[in-house]
mmCIF file of all heavy atoms in Angstrom:
data_model
loop_
_atom_site.group_PDB
_atom_site.id
_atom_site.type_symbol
_atom_site.label_atom_id
_atom_site.label_comp_id
_atom_site.label_asym_id
_atom_site.label_seq_id
_atom_site.Cartn_x
_atom_site.Cartn_y
_atom_site.Cartn_z
ATOM 1 N N HIS A 81 -1.372 -16.851 -86.692
ATOM 2 C CA HIS A 81 -1.295 -15.359 -86.406
ATOM 3 C C HIS A 81 0.095 -14.920 -85.977
ATOM 4 O O HIS A 81 0.528 -13.856 -86.316
ATOM 5 C CB HIS A 81 -2.464 -14.957 -85.391
ATOM 6 C CG HIS A 81 -3.761 -15.015 -85.960
ATOM 7 N ND1 HIS A 81 -4.903 -15.167 -85.247
ATOM 8 C CD2 HIS A 81 -4.206 -14.992 -87.284
ATOM 9 C CE1 HIS A 81 -5.983 -15.170 -86.016
ATOM 10 N NE2 HIS A 81 -5.593 -15.063 -87.225
ATOM 11 N N LYS A 82 0.762 -15.738 -85.219
ATOM 12 C CA LYS A 82 2.089 -15.398 -84.808
ATOM 13 C C LYS A 82 3.036 -15.356 -86.027
ATOM 14 O O LYS A 82 3.859 -14.465 -86.120
ATOM 15 C CB LYS A 82 2.632 -16.358 -83.738
ATOM 16 C CG LYS A 82 2.055 -16.095 -82.336
ATOM 17 C CD LYS A 82 2.378 -17.163 -81.395
ATOM 18 C CE LYS A 82 1.758 -16.874 -80.057
ATOM 19 N NZ LYS A 82 2.606 -16.146 -79.148
ATOM 20 N N ARG A 83 2.903 -16.297 -86.901
ATOM 21 C CA ARG A 83 3.723 -16.302 -88.114
ATOM 22 C C ARG A 83 3.380 -15.084 -88.990
ATOM 23 O O ARG A 83 4.346 -14.462 -89.525
ATOM 24 C CB ARG A 83 3.374 -17.612 -88.931
ATOM 25 C CG ARG A 83 3.539 -17.512 -90.376
ATOM 26 C CD ARG A 83 4.981 -17.527 -90.837
ATOM 27 N NE ARG A 83 5.067 -17.476 -92.296
ATOM 28 C CZ ARG A 83 4.928 -16.398 -93.026
ATOM 29 N NH1 ARG A 83 4.706 -15.214 -92.425
ATOM 30 N NH2 ARG A 83 5.027 -16.469 -94.375
ATOM 31 N N LEU A 84 2.156 -14.670 -89.060
ATOM 32 C CA LEU A 84 1.800 -13.464 -89.891
ATOM 33 C C LEU A 84 2.203 -12.210 -89.137
ATOM 34 O O LEU A 84 2.585 -11.264 -89.827
ATOM 35 C CB LEU A 84 0.272 -13.512 -90.205
ATOM 36 C CG LEU A 84 -0.191 -14.666 -91.072
ATOM 37 C CD1 LEU A 84 -1.665 -14.700 -91.158
ATOM 38 C CD2 LEU A 84 0.414 -14.579 -92.473
ATOM 39 N N TRP A 85 2.086 -12.223 -87.861
ATOM 40 C CA TRP A 85 2.454 -10.999 -87.103
ATOM 41 C C TRP A 85 3.874 -10.572 -87.258
ATOM 42 O O TRP A 85 4.184 -9.416 -87.529
ATOM 43 C CB TRP A 85 2.073 -11.182 -85.610
ATOM 44 C CG TRP A 85 2.057 -9.912 -84.822
ATOM 45 C CD1 TRP A 85 1.014 -9.061 -84.654
ATOM 46 C CD2 TRP A 85 3.158 -9.317 -84.135
ATOM 47 N NE1 TRP A 85 1.397 -8.002 -83.889
ATOM 48 C CE2 TRP A 85 2.770 -8.116 -83.568
ATOM 49 C CE3 TRP A 85 4.560 -9.713 -83.962
ATOM 50 C CZ2 TRP A 85 3.547 -7.316 -82.787
ATOM 51 C CZ3 TRP A 85 5.381 -8.888 -83.191
ATOM 52 C CH2 TRP A 85 4.864 -7.756 -82.621
ATOM 53 N N ILE A 86 4.764 -11.511 -87.196
ATOM 54 C CA ILE A 86 6.196 -11.098 -87.281
ATOM 55 C C ILE A 86 6.514 -10.589 -88.734
ATOM 56 O O ILE A 86 7.345 -9.699 -88.901
ATOM 57 C CB ILE A 86 7.199 -12.207 -86.894
ATOM 58 C CG1 ILE A 86 7.062 -13.452 -87.688
ATOM 59 C CG2 ILE A 86 7.135 -12.439 -85.396
ATOM 60 C CD1 ILE A 86 8.217 -14.417 -87.543
ATOM 61 N N ALA A 87 5.811 -11.118 -89.688
ATOM 62 C CA ALA A 87 6.034 -10.667 -91.096
ATOM 63 C C ALA A 87 5.541 -9.185 -91.272
ATOM 64 O O ALA A 87 5.978 -8.559 -92.222
ATOM 65 C CB ALA A 87 5.300 -11.597 -92.074
ATOM 66 N N LYS A 88 4.672 -8.821 -90.410
ATOM 67 C CA LYS A 88 4.099 -7.470 -90.572
ATOM 68 C C LYS A 88 5.083 -6.379 -90.047
ATOM 69 O O LYS A 88 5.158 -5.271 -90.579
ATOM 70 C CB LYS A 88 2.813 -7.398 -89.659
ATOM 71 C CG LYS A 88 1.879 -6.269 -90.044
ATOM 72 C CD LYS A 88 0.467 -6.503 -89.687
ATOM 73 C CE LYS A 88 0.186 -6.937 -88.261
ATOM 74 N NZ LYS A 88 -1.234 -6.999 -87.877
ATOM 75 N N TYR A 89 5.946 -6.788 -89.066
ATOM 76 C CA TYR A 89 6.775 -5.812 -88.457
ATOM 77 C C TYR A 89 8.331 -5.996 -88.755
ATOM 78 O O TYR A 89 9.061 -5.098 -88.480
ATOM 79 C CB TYR A 89 6.595 -5.849 -86.970
ATOM 80 C CG TYR A 89 5.251 -5.316 -86.563
ATOM 81 C CD1 TYR A 89 4.235 -6.131 -86.190
ATOM 82 C CD2 TYR A 89 5.022 -3.929 -86.617
ATOM 83 C CE1 TYR A 89 2.967 -5.601 -85.914
ATOM 84 C CE2 TYR A 89 3.809 -3.414 -86.320
ATOM 85 C CZ TYR A 89 2.762 -4.312 -85.953
ATOM 86 O OH TYR A 89 1.475 -3.738 -85.639
ATOM 87 N N PHE A 90 8.681 -7.100 -89.352
ATOM 88 C CA PHE A 90 10.068 -7.351 -89.604
ATOM 89 C C PHE A 90 10.288 -7.701 -91.051
ATOM 90 O O PHE A 90 9.425 -8.226 -91.713
ATOM 91 C CB PHE A 90 10.616 -8.442 -88.680
ATOM 92 C CG PHE A 90 10.484 -8.126 -87.192
ATOM 93 C CD1 PHE A 90 9.396 -8.483 -86.509
ATOM 94 C CD2 PHE A 90 11.414 -7.231 -86.583
ATOM 95 C CE1 PHE A 90 9.302 -8.170 -85.184
ATOM 96 C CE2 PHE A 90 11.321 -6.931 -85.287
ATOM 97 C CZ PHE A 90 10.178 -7.360 -84.555
ATOM 98 N N ASP A 91 11.506 -7.383 -91.539
ATOM 99 C CA ASP A 91 11.902 -7.601 -92.865
ATOM 100 C C ASP A 91 11.816 -9.135 -93.222
ATOM 101 O O ASP A 91 12.544 -9.954 -92.578
ATOM 102 C CB ASP A 91 13.332 -7.074 -93.042
ATOM 103 C CG ASP A 91 13.841 -7.296 -94.454
ATOM 104 O OD1 ASP A 91 13.069 -7.835 -95.328
ATOM 105 O OD2 ASP A 91 14.995 -6.859 -94.731
ATOM 106 N N GLU A 92 11.024 -9.499 -94.120
ATOM 107 C CA GLU A 92 10.818 -10.880 -94.511
ATOM 108 C C GLU A 92 12.127 -11.643 -94.759
ATOM 109 O O GLU A 92 12.279 -12.807 -94.351
ATOM 110 C CB GLU A 92 9.840 -10.980 -95.703
ATOM 111 C CG GLU A 92 9.745 -12.310 -96.430
ATOM 112 C CD GLU A 92 8.947 -13.350 -95.609
ATOM 113 O OE1 GLU A 92 8.183 -12.910 -94.696
ATOM 114 O OE2 GLU A 92 9.046 -14.564 -95.926
ATOM 115 N N LYS A 93 13.046 -10.947 -95.417
ATOM 116 C CA LYS A 93 14.271 -11.637 -95.701
ATOM 117 C C LYS A 93 15.119 -11.992 -94.453
ATOM 118 O O LYS A 93 15.805 -12.974 -94.479
ATOM 119 C CB LYS A 93 15.121 -10.733 -96.592
ATOM 120 C CG LYS A 93 14.674 -10.705 -98.115
ATOM 121 C CD LYS A 93 15.720 -10.156 -99.032
ATOM 122 C CE LYS A 93 15.784 -8.613 -98.992
ATOM 123 N NZ LYS A 93 14.561 -7.947 -99.393
ATOM 124 N N ARG A 94 14.949 -11.184 -93.397
ATOM 125 C CA ARG A 94 15.699 -11.369 -92.221
ATOM 126 C C ARG A 94 15.060 -12.462 -91.251
ATOM 127 O O ARG A 94 15.741 -13.059 -90.460
ATOM 128 C CB ARG A 94 15.866 -10.124 -91.403
ATOM 129 C CG ARG A 94 16.712 -9.037 -92.154
ATOM 130 C CD ARG A 94 18.151 -9.132 -91.764
ATOM 131 N NE ARG A 94 18.924 -8.159 -92.520
ATOM 132 C CZ ARG A 94 20.017 -8.433 -93.200
ATOM 133 N NH1 ARG A 94 20.436 -9.680 -93.227
ATOM 134 N NH2 ARG A 94 20.631 -7.498 -93.869
ATOM 135 N N ILE A 95 13.784 -12.522 -91.292
ATOM 136 C CA ILE A 95 13.057 -13.397 -90.324
ATOM 137 C C ILE A 95 12.486 -14.682 -90.904
ATOM 138 O O ILE A 95 12.090 -15.537 -90.196
ATOM 139 C CB ILE A 95 11.933 -12.620 -89.712
ATOM 140 C CG1 ILE A 95 10.895 -12.119 -90.738
ATOM 141 C CG2 ILE A 95 12.389 -11.525 -88.819
ATOM 142 C CD1 ILE A 95 9.489 -12.275 -90.386
ATOM 143 N N ARG A 96 12.670 -14.853 -92.186
ATOM 144 C CA ARG A 96 12.148 -16.007 -92.921
ATOM 145 C C ARG A 96 12.675 -17.340 -92.222
ATOM 146 O O ARG A 96 13.819 -17.506 -92.011
ATOM 147 C CB ARG A 96 12.548 -15.988 -94.301
ATOM 148 C CG ARG A 96 11.876 -17.033 -95.163
ATOM 149 C CD ARG A 96 12.193 -16.797 -96.675
ATOM 150 N NE ARG A 96 11.633 -17.916 -97.454
ATOM 151 C CZ ARG A 96 10.348 -17.989 -97.806
ATOM 152 N NH1 ARG A 96 9.516 -17.059 -97.456
ATOM 153 N NH2 ARG A 96 9.921 -19.022 -98.447
ATOM 154 N N LYS A 97 11.692 -18.182 -91.800
ATOM 155 C CA LYS A 97 11.961 -19.446 -91.132
ATOM 156 C C LYS A 97 12.671 -19.313 -89.830
ATOM 157 O O LYS A 97 13.392 -20.217 -89.370
ATOM 158 C CB LYS A 97 12.755 -20.350 -92.144
ATOM 159 C CG LYS A 97 12.012 -20.630 -93.442
ATOM 160 C CD LYS A 97 12.669 -21.544 -94.369
ATOM 161 C CE LYS A 97 11.831 -21.778 -95.573
ATOM 162 N NZ LYS A 97 12.464 -22.659 -96.582
ATOM 163 N N ARG A 98 12.513 -18.189 -89.170
ATOM 164 C CA ARG A 98 13.135 -17.926 -87.890
ATOM 165 C C ARG A 98 12.092 -17.800 -86.761
ATOM 166 O O ARG A 98 12.331 -17.077 -85.774
ATOM 167 C CB ARG A 98 14.023 -16.716 -87.956
ATOM 168 C CG ARG A 98 15.293 -17.041 -88.654
ATOM 169 C CD ARG A 98 16.189 -15.821 -88.870
ATOM 170 N NE ARG A 98 17.380 -16.314 -89.530
ATOM 171 C CZ ARG A 98 18.494 -16.760 -88.961
ATOM 172 N NH1 ARG A 98 18.568 -16.747 -87.641
ATOM 173 N NH2 ARG A 98 19.488 -17.138 -89.632
ATOM 174 N N LEU A 99 10.965 -18.464 -86.893
ATOM 175 C CA LEU A 99 9.993 -18.507 -85.858
ATOM 176 C C LEU A 99 9.885 -19.906 -85.359
ATOM 177 O O LEU A 99 9.681 -20.850 -86.053
ATOM 178 C CB LEU A 99 8.599 -18.101 -86.368
ATOM 179 C CG LEU A 99 7.421 -18.274 -85.444
ATOM 180 C CD1 LEU A 99 7.550 -17.411 -84.215
ATOM 181 C CD2 LEU A 99 6.103 -17.951 -86.140
ATOM 182 N N ILE A 100 10.173 -20.076 -83.995
ATOM 183 C CA ILE A 100 10.078 -21.356 -83.384
ATOM 184 C C ILE A 100 8.980 -21.280 -82.369
ATOM 185 O O ILE A 100 8.972 -20.458 -81.428
ATOM 186 C CB ILE A 100 11.402 -21.719 -82.673
ATOM 187 C CG1 ILE A 100 12.510 -21.754 -83.697
ATOM 188 C CG2 ILE A 100 11.239 -23.112 -81.935
ATOM 189 C CD1 ILE A 100 13.971 -21.780 -83.031
ATOM 190 N N LEU A 101 7.952 -22.138 -82.490
ATOM 191 C CA LEU A 101 6.846 -22.184 -81.531
ATOM 192 C C LEU A 101 7.003 -23.515 -80.748
ATOM 193 O O LEU A 101 6.983 -24.579 -81.336
ATOM 194 C CB LEU A 101 5.509 -22.123 -82.323
ATOM 195 C CG LEU A 101 5.231 -20.865 -83.081
ATOM 196 C CD1 LEU A 101 3.902 -20.911 -83.839
ATOM 197 C CD2 LEU A 101 5.284 -19.644 -82.110
ATOM 198 N N SER A 102 7.129 -23.350 -79.466
ATOM 199 C CA SER A 102 7.449 -24.528 -78.637
ATOM 200 C C SER A 102 6.934 -24.302 -77.198
ATOM 201 O O SER A 102 6.954 -23.222 -76.700
ATOM 202 C CB SER A 102 8.970 -24.743 -78.559
ATOM 203 O OG SER A 102 9.253 -25.814 -77.699
ATOM 204 N N HIS A 103 6.475 -25.461 -76.639
ATOM 205 C CA HIS A 103 6.208 -25.477 -75.159
ATOM 206 C C HIS A 103 7.400 -25.913 -74.386
ATOM 207 O O HIS A 103 7.280 -26.173 -73.187
ATOM 208 C CB HIS A 103 5.036 -26.401 -74.879
ATOM 209 C CG HIS A 103 3.698 -25.851 -75.423
ATOM 210 N ND1 HIS A 103 3.311 -25.881 -76.743
ATOM 211 C CD2 HIS A 103 2.683 -25.281 -74.733
ATOM 212 C CE1 HIS A 103 2.122 -25.339 -76.890
ATOM 213 N NE2 HIS A 103 1.718 -24.945 -75.627
ATOM 214 N N HIS A 104 8.572 -26.064 -75.011
ATOM 215 C CA HIS A 104 9.722 -26.693 -74.345
ATOM 216 C C HIS A 104 10.998 -25.878 -74.735
ATOM 217 O O HIS A 104 11.910 -26.320 -75.381
ATOM 218 C CB HIS A 104 9.910 -28.111 -74.799
ATOM 219 C CG HIS A 104 8.679 -28.903 -74.647
ATOM 220 N ND1 HIS A 104 8.215 -29.400 -73.447
ATOM 221 C CD2 HIS A 104 7.704 -29.245 -75.598
ATOM 222 C CE1 HIS A 104 7.110 -30.067 -73.594
ATOM 223 N NE2 HIS A 104 6.731 -29.966 -74.903
ATOM 224 N N LYS A 105 10.995 -24.611 -74.250
ATOM 225 C CA LYS A 105 12.035 -23.653 -74.679
ATOM 226 C C LYS A 105 13.462 -24.133 -74.164
ATOM 227 O O LYS A 105 14.429 -23.726 -74.698
ATOM 228 C CB LYS A 105 11.719 -22.285 -74.159
ATOM 229 C CG LYS A 105 10.457 -21.686 -74.819
ATOM 230 C CD LYS A 105 10.165 -20.239 -74.327
ATOM 231 C CE LYS A 105 8.920 -19.723 -75.028
ATOM 232 N NZ LYS A 105 8.580 -18.324 -74.674
ATOM 233 N N HIS A 106 13.405 -24.922 -73.116
ATOM 234 C CA HIS A 106 14.718 -25.391 -72.510
ATOM 235 C C HIS A 106 15.466 -26.355 -73.464
ATOM 236 O O HIS A 106 16.604 -26.640 -73.247
ATOM 237 C CB HIS A 106 14.501 -26.063 -71.165
ATOM 238 C CG HIS A 106 13.582 -27.207 -71.263
ATOM 239 N ND1 HIS A 106 12.238 -27.134 -71.544
ATOM 240 C CD2 HIS A 106 13.837 -28.556 -71.056
ATOM 241 C CE1 HIS A 106 11.728 -28.322 -71.554
ATOM 242 N NE2 HIS A 106 12.631 -29.199 -71.326
ATOM 243 N N LEU A 107 14.747 -26.894 -74.467
ATOM 244 C CA LEU A 107 15.399 -27.814 -75.383
ATOM 245 C C LEU A 107 16.204 -27.138 -76.457
ATOM 246 O O LEU A 107 17.016 -27.777 -77.152
ATOM 247 C CB LEU A 107 14.343 -28.714 -76.012
ATOM 248 C CG LEU A 107 13.585 -29.683 -75.036
ATOM 249 C CD1 LEU A 107 12.586 -30.540 -75.778
ATOM 250 C CD2 LEU A 107 14.577 -30.595 -74.278
ATOM 251 N N LEU A 108 16.019 -25.827 -76.620
ATOM 252 C CA LEU A 108 16.692 -25.059 -77.644
ATOM 253 C C LEU A 108 18.160 -24.768 -77.176
ATOM 254 O O LEU A 108 18.327 -24.424 -75.979
ATOM 255 C CB LEU A 108 15.984 -23.813 -77.962
ATOM 256 C CG LEU A 108 14.852 -23.846 -78.924
ATOM 257 C CD1 LEU A 108 15.376 -24.213 -80.346
ATOM 258 C CD2 LEU A 108 13.712 -24.801 -78.560
ATOM 259 N N ILE A 109 19.114 -24.904 -78.058
ATOM 260 C CA ILE A 109 20.506 -24.578 -77.680
ATOM 261 C C ILE A 109 20.771 -23.127 -78.146
ATOM 262 O O ILE A 109 20.501 -22.776 -79.292
ATOM 263 C CB ILE A 109 21.427 -25.566 -78.491
ATOM 264 C CG1 ILE A 109 21.161 -27.002 -77.973
ATOM 265 C CG2 ILE A 109 22.902 -25.116 -78.298
ATOM 266 C CD1 ILE A 109 21.829 -28.060 -78.859
ATOM 267 N N GLY A 110 21.390 -22.372 -77.278
ATOM 268 C CA GLY A 110 21.723 -21.018 -77.671
ATOM 269 C C GLY A 110 22.364 -20.252 -76.539
ATOM 270 O O GLY A 110 22.579 -20.744 -75.441
ATOM 271 N N ASP A 111 22.667 -18.974 -76.807
ATOM 272 C CA ASP A 111 23.382 -18.143 -75.854
ATOM 273 C C ASP A 111 22.397 -17.322 -74.972
ATOM 274 O O ASP A 111 22.612 -17.243 -73.762
ATOM 275 C CB ASP A 111 24.299 -17.138 -76.625
ATOM 276 C CG ASP A 111 25.358 -17.962 -77.374
ATOM 277 O OD1 ASP A 111 26.313 -18.354 -76.701
ATOM 278 O OD2 ASP A 111 25.238 -18.109 -78.594
ATOM 279 N N TYR A 112 21.407 -16.720 -75.605
ATOM 280 C CA TYR A 112 20.473 -15.822 -74.874
ATOM 281 C C TYR A 112 19.027 -16.198 -75.169
ATOM 282 O O TYR A 112 18.672 -16.532 -76.303
ATOM 283 C CB TYR A 112 20.720 -14.373 -75.225
ATOM 284 C CG TYR A 112 22.083 -13.889 -74.958
ATOM 285 C CD1 TYR A 112 22.953 -13.581 -76.014
ATOM 286 C CD2 TYR A 112 22.505 -13.736 -73.696
ATOM 287 C CE1 TYR A 112 24.224 -13.144 -75.750
ATOM 288 C CE2 TYR A 112 23.838 -13.245 -73.434
ATOM 289 C CZ TYR A 112 24.657 -12.973 -74.476
ATOM 290 O OH TYR A 112 25.928 -12.550 -74.212
ATOM 291 N N LEU A 113 18.208 -16.095 -74.116
ATOM 292 C CA LEU A 113 16.740 -16.147 -74.274
ATOM 293 C C LEU A 113 16.170 -14.855 -73.612
ATOM 294 O O LEU A 113 16.385 -14.652 -72.421
ATOM 295 C CB LEU A 113 16.163 -17.353 -73.637
ATOM 296 C CG LEU A 113 14.638 -17.444 -73.539
ATOM 297 C CD1 LEU A 113 13.965 -17.416 -74.882
ATOM 298 C CD2 LEU A 113 14.202 -18.613 -72.704
ATOM 299 N N ILE A 114 15.498 -14.069 -74.431
ATOM 300 C CA ILE A 114 14.848 -12.875 -73.864
ATOM 301 C C ILE A 114 13.406 -13.182 -73.707
ATOM 302 O O ILE A 114 12.651 -13.437 -74.692
ATOM 303 C CB ILE A 114 15.074 -11.688 -74.844
ATOM 304 C CG1 ILE A 114 16.536 -11.416 -75.109
ATOM 305 C CG2 ILE A 114 14.436 -10.382 -74.239
ATOM 306 C CD1 ILE A 114 16.794 -10.607 -76.344
ATOM 307 N N ASP A 115 12.968 -13.338 -72.508
ATOM 308 C CA ASP A 115 11.628 -13.814 -72.188
ATOM 309 C C ASP A 115 11.087 -13.166 -70.895
ATOM 310 O O ASP A 115 11.830 -13.033 -69.969
ATOM 311 C CB ASP A 115 11.648 -15.332 -72.050
ATOM 312 C CG ASP A 115 10.326 -15.996 -72.303
ATOM 313 O OD1 ASP A 115 9.312 -15.556 -71.703
ATOM 314 O OD2 ASP A 115 10.256 -16.919 -73.121
ATOM 315 N N ASP A 116 9.867 -12.770 -70.905
ATOM 316 C CA ASP A 116 9.302 -12.138 -69.740
ATOM 317 C C ASP A 116 8.759 -13.088 -68.610
ATOM 318 O O ASP A 116 8.451 -12.641 -67.510
ATOM 319 C CB ASP A 116 8.118 -11.180 -70.167
ATOM 320 C CG ASP A 116 6.973 -11.898 -70.827
ATOM 321 O OD1 ASP A 116 7.234 -12.850 -71.618
ATOM 322 O OD2 ASP A 116 5.844 -11.606 -70.540
ATOM 323 N N ARG A 117 8.574 -14.375 -69.041
ATOM 324 C CA ARG A 117 8.050 -15.307 -68.019
ATOM 325 C C ARG A 117 8.885 -16.620 -67.968
ATOM 326 O O ARG A 117 9.579 -16.997 -68.908
ATOM 327 C CB ARG A 117 6.595 -15.678 -68.389
ATOM 328 C CG ARG A 117 5.706 -14.421 -68.495
ATOM 329 C CD ARG A 117 4.203 -14.791 -68.399
ATOM 330 N NE ARG A 117 3.899 -15.863 -69.302
ATOM 331 C CZ ARG A 117 2.807 -16.636 -69.144
ATOM 332 N NH1 ARG A 117 1.994 -16.461 -68.119
ATOM 333 N NH2 ARG A 117 2.547 -17.615 -69.988
ATOM 334 N N ARG A 118 8.743 -17.250 -66.832
ATOM 335 C CA ARG A 118 9.598 -18.460 -66.598
ATOM 336 C C ARG A 118 8.974 -19.705 -67.256
ATOM 337 O O ARG A 118 9.596 -20.793 -67.296
ATOM 338 C CB ARG A 118 9.772 -18.676 -65.146
ATOM 339 C CG ARG A 118 8.473 -19.015 -64.402
ATOM 340 C CD ARG A 118 8.702 -19.169 -62.867
ATOM 341 N NE ARG A 118 7.439 -19.271 -62.210
ATOM 342 C CZ ARG A 118 6.703 -20.367 -62.113
ATOM 343 N NH1 ARG A 118 7.100 -21.530 -62.619
ATOM 344 N NH2 ARG A 118 5.514 -20.304 -61.451
ATOM 345 N N PHE A 119 7.733 -19.656 -67.753
ATOM 346 C CA PHE A 119 7.017 -20.821 -68.216
ATOM 347 C C PHE A 119 7.496 -21.436 -69.508
ATOM 348 O O PHE A 119 8.351 -20.844 -70.186
ATOM 349 C CB PHE A 119 5.546 -20.498 -68.296
ATOM 350 C CG PHE A 119 4.993 -19.903 -66.999
ATOM 351 C CD1 PHE A 119 4.560 -18.538 -67.020
ATOM 352 C CD2 PHE A 119 4.935 -20.693 -65.850
ATOM 353 C CE1 PHE A 119 4.118 -18.039 -65.785
ATOM 354 C CE2 PHE A 119 4.412 -20.116 -64.655
ATOM 355 C CZ PHE A 119 4.040 -18.832 -64.646
ATOM 356 N N ASN A 120 6.992 -22.618 -69.795
ATOM 357 C CA ASN A 120 7.310 -23.362 -71.041
ATOM 358 C C ASN A 120 8.846 -23.525 -71.202
ATOM 359 O O ASN A 120 9.346 -23.372 -72.339
ATOM 360 C CB ASN A 120 6.710 -22.692 -72.248
ATOM 361 C CG ASN A 120 5.140 -22.615 -72.135
ATOM 362 O OD1 ASN A 120 4.544 -23.663 -71.962
ATOM 363 N ND2 ASN A 120 4.598 -21.425 -72.114
ATOM 364 N N GLY A 121 9.521 -23.745 -70.114
ATOM 365 C CA GLY A 121 10.914 -24.089 -70.180
ATOM 366 C C GLY A 121 11.877 -22.875 -70.168
ATOM 367 O O GLY A 121 13.117 -23.063 -70.107
ATOM 368 N N ALA A 122 11.343 -21.681 -70.123
ATOM 369 C CA ALA A 122 12.222 -20.490 -70.180
ATOM 370 C C ALA A 122 13.252 -20.411 -69.049
ATOM 371 O O ALA A 122 14.419 -20.182 -69.224
ATOM 372 C CB ALA A 122 11.381 -19.193 -70.210
ATOM 373 N N SER A 123 12.788 -20.697 -67.829
ATOM 374 C CA SER A 123 13.641 -20.653 -66.684
ATOM 375 C C SER A 123 14.678 -21.781 -66.674
ATOM 376 O O SER A 123 15.692 -21.706 -65.927
ATOM 377 C CB SER A 123 12.915 -20.663 -65.362
ATOM 378 O OG SER A 123 12.161 -21.854 -65.244
ATOM 379 N N GLU A 124 14.449 -22.794 -67.485
ATOM 380 C CA GLU A 124 15.421 -23.922 -67.487
ATOM 381 C C GLU A 124 16.366 -23.861 -68.737
ATOM 382 O O GLU A 124 17.104 -24.769 -68.997
ATOM 383 C CB GLU A 124 14.674 -25.264 -67.570
ATOM 384 C CG GLU A 124 13.871 -25.523 -66.339
ATOM 385 C CD GLU A 124 12.679 -26.425 -66.743
ATOM 386 O OE1 GLU A 124 12.855 -27.623 -67.035
ATOM 387 O OE2 GLU A 124 11.525 -25.928 -66.746
ATOM 388 N N PHE A 125 16.287 -22.723 -69.449
ATOM 389 C CA PHE A 125 17.096 -22.537 -70.605
ATOM 390 C C PHE A 125 18.543 -22.616 -70.240
ATOM 391 O O PHE A 125 18.922 -22.049 -69.219
ATOM 392 C CB PHE A 125 16.743 -21.115 -71.232
ATOM 393 C CG PHE A 125 17.574 -20.788 -72.442
ATOM 394 C CD1 PHE A 125 17.396 -21.477 -73.580
ATOM 395 C CD2 PHE A 125 18.485 -19.751 -72.392
ATOM 396 C CE1 PHE A 125 18.216 -21.097 -74.747
ATOM 397 C CE2 PHE A 125 19.223 -19.366 -73.496
ATOM 398 C CZ PHE A 125 19.082 -20.080 -74.626
ATOM 399 N N GLN A 126 19.344 -23.368 -70.989
ATOM 400 C CA GLN A 126 20.757 -23.616 -70.668
ATOM 401 C C GLN A 126 21.706 -22.405 -70.902
ATOM 402 O O GLN A 126 22.727 -22.441 -70.368
ATOM 403 C CB GLN A 126 21.255 -24.887 -71.405
ATOM 404 C CG GLN A 126 20.484 -26.174 -71.036
ATOM 405 C CD GLN A 126 20.695 -26.483 -69.534
ATOM 406 O OE1 GLN A 126 21.848 -26.639 -69.087
ATOM 407 N NE2 GLN A 126 19.563 -26.515 -68.801
ATOM 408 N N GLY A 127 21.264 -21.481 -71.732
ATOM 409 C CA GLY A 127 22.013 -20.275 -71.935
ATOM 410 C C GLY A 127 21.669 -19.251 -70.863
ATOM 411 O O GLY A 127 21.248 -19.589 -69.741
ATOM 412 N N ILE A 128 21.829 -17.963 -71.206
ATOM 413 C CA ILE A 128 21.439 -16.953 -70.296
ATOM 414 C C ILE A 128 20.063 -16.431 -70.538
ATOM 415 O O ILE A 128 19.698 -16.039 -71.659
ATOM 416 C CB ILE A 128 22.470 -15.727 -70.385
ATOM 417 C CG1 ILE A 128 23.868 -16.253 -70.027
ATOM 418 C CG2 ILE A 128 22.054 -14.546 -69.471
ATOM 419 C CD1 ILE A 128 24.985 -15.229 -70.280
ATOM 420 N N TRP A 129 19.218 -16.508 -69.487
ATOM 421 C CA TRP A 129 17.876 -16.010 -69.622
ATOM 422 C C TRP A 129 17.795 -14.556 -69.159
ATOM 423 O O TRP A 129 18.104 -14.301 -67.980
ATOM 424 C CB TRP A 129 16.958 -16.895 -68.776
ATOM 425 C CG TRP A 129 15.535 -16.392 -68.578
ATOM 426 C CD1 TRP A 129 14.800 -15.641 -69.475
ATOM 427 C CD2 TRP A 129 14.716 -16.491 -67.397
ATOM 428 N NE1 TRP A 129 13.574 -15.336 -68.964
ATOM 429 C CE2 TRP A 129 13.456 -15.877 -67.714
ATOM 430 C CE3 TRP A 129 14.859 -17.180 -66.194
ATOM 431 C CZ2 TRP A 129 12.425 -15.808 -66.762
ATOM 432 C CZ3 TRP A 129 13.824 -17.104 -65.255
ATOM 433 C CH2 TRP A 129 12.595 -16.480 -65.616
#
Side-chain angles (χ1 to χ4, degrees):
H81 288 156
K82 282 170 182 270
R83 153 71 179 83
L84 295 172
W85 192 88
I86 58 166
K88 200 156 50 173
Y89 290 102
F90 299 96
D91 181 359
E92 168 73 16
K93 283 196 281 299
R94 296 267 179 232
I95 56 138
R96 189 172 176 80
K97 302 186 180 179
R98 284 176 180 270
L99 171 63
I100 301 165
L101 297 177
S102 175
H103 289 78
H104 309 280
K105 295 181 179 182
H106 60 293
L107 296 179
L108 276 294
I109 296 167
D111 296 285
Y112 301 110
L113 168 63
I114 305 163
D115 203 307
D116 61 320
R117 303 199 309 160
R118 64 182 170 82
F119 305 112
N120 300 302
S123 62
E124 297 150 70
F125 178 67
Q126 295 299 299
I128 297 170
W129 170 33

